[in-house]
Amino acid sequence: MTNIRDEFVLVKEAAEMLGVCPNTIRAWGDSGKITQYRHPINDYRMFKRKDIASLIQKMQKPVRPKRLR
């Protein structure tokens, strides 16, 4: 049986992992940029570690500038 803390992190830890402030994580969760879950007892926001790892990989890819016309 896996522990919920092994699979999920709370807002503060997710923000630290991504290098952003906690309000950014909350906004990303609300807008659907990252899937958020709710703790069944206290209703805290939770994020899957694998979703955060995937987002970190996307953030590390170089961005090509758009060409001006």
Side-chain angles (χ1 to χ4, degrees):
M1 188 160 108
T2 60
N3 184 342
I4 197 166
R5 296 293 296 166
D6 292 338
E7 187 176 354
F8 293 91
V9 296
L10 298 177
V11 171
K12 183 178 179 181
E13 188 175 353
E16 289 172 357
M17 293 170 73
L18 290 163
V20 297
C21 70
N23 282 340
T24 300
I25 295 295
R26 290 182 189 99
W28 288 354
D30 289 342
S31 70
K33 290 182 181 175
I34 186 169
T35 304
Q36 66 182 0
Y37 302 86
R38 293 291 183 155
H39 191 281
I41 304 297
N42 57 25
D43 207 36
Y44 288 171
R45 296 171 204 249
M46 302 184 315
F47 303 90
K48 285 190 175 184
R49 290 182 185 273
K50 68 178 185 175
D51 292 344
I52 294 171
S54 176
L55 189 55
I56 289 170
Q57 285 184 332
K58 288 180 186 177
M59 291 171 66
Q60 291 176 343
K61 290 183 180 179
V63 177
R64 287 190 286 158
K66 291 185 179 183
R67 298 181 82 182
L68 299 177
R69 294 182 179 185

